[in-house]
Amino acid sequence: MSDAVQLDLLVFAAHPDDAEIGMGGTIAKATRAGRRVGLYDLTFAEMSSNGDPKTRQREAARASELLGLAVRGNLGLPDRGLKAGSEQVDKLVEVIRRHRPRIVFAPYFEDRHPDHTACSRLAEEAVFNAKLRRYRPEWDAWTPDAFCYYFINDMHTPQLVVDITECQAVKMDALSAYRSQFAPMEETKDWVPTPLTAGYLDNVAARDRLFGAPHRVAYAEGFISKGPMKLEGF
C-alpha cells in the first residue's frame, strides 16, 4: 500500500451527500489550503427514496470536483445493512492504513438516521483497530492524530468550530450537485417528496449560521471529538 495517496483528512460517510452536508465547507477550506482530503462513502445509497446509484455516483463525482477532493471512493457496503463486524470494519481499516491520514472524520454518533450512527460506530472501531500492529498485520498499522465527528441531521454543542465563510458558496454548490436528493422534481417518474426536498438545504445553511454566530463569523461547521485533538496546520 506504499503507493497510495497519503491524506491529511480522511472522511467517512454512510451515503453520498452526508459529508457534504456536515463538513463540505471544511473540506473545501482544507483543499484550498493545499491539504489532501479523501472521502469514502460506505454505500451507494441504493435504498434512497429518490435517485439511483448511478445518478448518485454522477452527482458525487461533480461534488468531489467542486470540493477539490484528492480521493473519492465507495466501499459498496449494503445501504440499511451497516453493522459492526470484522468484515465491514476491515474495509475501513484498510482505507485508513492505505492513506495514513492525520485526521479521520465520521458522522456524529447521535443522529436520526440509523445508517449515520452505524457509520460512526464502524469508523470508531476501524480507527482503533488500525493502530494495532498485530491486527491484520499484512497492512502496516497507522494511528491518526485525531478522530472527529461531524453533524448531519442534528445539531449539538461542538468542541471545535471551523469558520467556513469563504467556502460556504462552494459547499452549497456541492450539495446542489445532488439534485436527485434536494430538488423538487415532480415531473420525474417515481419521484416522491421527502424531508430533503422540503427546504433541507436552507436548514443546512441556517445551522452553519448558528454555528458561526457565537464566534462572529457568517458561517461555520461544528465538530466533536471523544479524545484530545491535535490539529496543527489544519
Side-chain angles (χ1 to χ4, degrees):
M1 293 189 290
S2 60
D3 59 343
V5 175
Q6 184 164 9
L7 298 173
D8 296 296
L9 312 182
L10 171 61
V11 185
F12 288 113
H15 317 102
D17 75 19
D18 288 347
E20 288 89 340
I21 291 169
M23 56 177 296
T26 299
I27 292 171
K29 183 172 184 175
T31 61
R32 284 188 175 188
R35 312 302 179 202
R36 294 182 298 273
V37 183
L39 199 170
Y40 278 80
D41 303 304
L42 271 56
T43 80
F44 289 104
E46 62 270 19
M47 299 298 292
S48 294
S49 297
N50 293 311
D52 54 57
K54 288 185 178 179
T55 300
R56 296 292 286 276
Q57 286 302 103
R58 288 196 299 269
E59 293 170 340
R62 176 56 181 159
S64 300
E65 180 182 357
L66 290 166
L67 295 176
L69 292 174
V71 177
R72 181 123 194 196
N74 194 300
L75 298 184
L77 298 177
D79 193 14
R80 294 299 300 117
L82 299 178
K83 57 184 179 181
S86 61
E87 184 176 347
Q88 291 194 5
V89 169
D90 283 354
K91 288 183 177 292
L92 281 70
V93 171
E94 194 274 336
V95 168
I96 293 169
R97 289 179 168 180
R98 184 196 318 154
H99 291 295
R100 308 181 301 282
R102 292 194 302 115
I103 309 169
V104 175
F105 293 85
Y108 187 55
F109 43 86
E110 294 181 10
D111 188 279
R112 66 176 176 81
H113 197 309
D115 280 353
H116 299 166
T117 57
C119 176
S120 180
R121 179 60 177 166
L122 284 166
E124 181 180 6
E125 290 194 29
V127 168
F128 187 88
N129 289 357
K131 69 183 180 182
L132 303 176
R133 65 186 180 90
R134 291 191 172 93
Y135 183 86
R136 299 300 300 266
E138 67 272 25
W139 306 325
D140 292 339
W142 181 257
T143 304
D145 291 338
F147 176 43
C148 299
Y149 299 97
Y150 61 90
F151 307 120
I152 302 177
N153 288 314
D154 304 310
M155 182 172 179
H156 302 270
T157 302
Q159 295 171 323
L160 169 69
V161 170
V162 176
D163 179 3
I164 62 163
T165 303
E166 64 185 33
C167 295
Q168 180 69 14
V170 177
K171 170 179 179 170
M172 300 312 294
D173 285 345
L175 283 170
S176 296
Y178 293 96
R179 188 168 183 268
S180 68
Q181 301 306 296
F182 301 117
M185 300 171 68
E186 291 89 343
E187 75 284 358
T188 301
K189 183 180 178 180
D190 294 332
W191 180 85
V192 295
T194 73
L196 298 182
T197 63
Y200 186 87
L201 295 188
D202 292 337
N203 295 338
V204 172
R207 183 178 64 182
D208 294 345
R209 286 195 294 270
L210 286 172
F211 277 139
H215 306 278
R216 299 183 180 181
V217 300
Y219 296 96
E221 290 170 338
F223 301 90
I224 287 178
S225 173
K226 281 190 173 179
M229 292 180 288
K230 181 182 178 183
L231 300 179
E232 291 90 341
F234 180 75

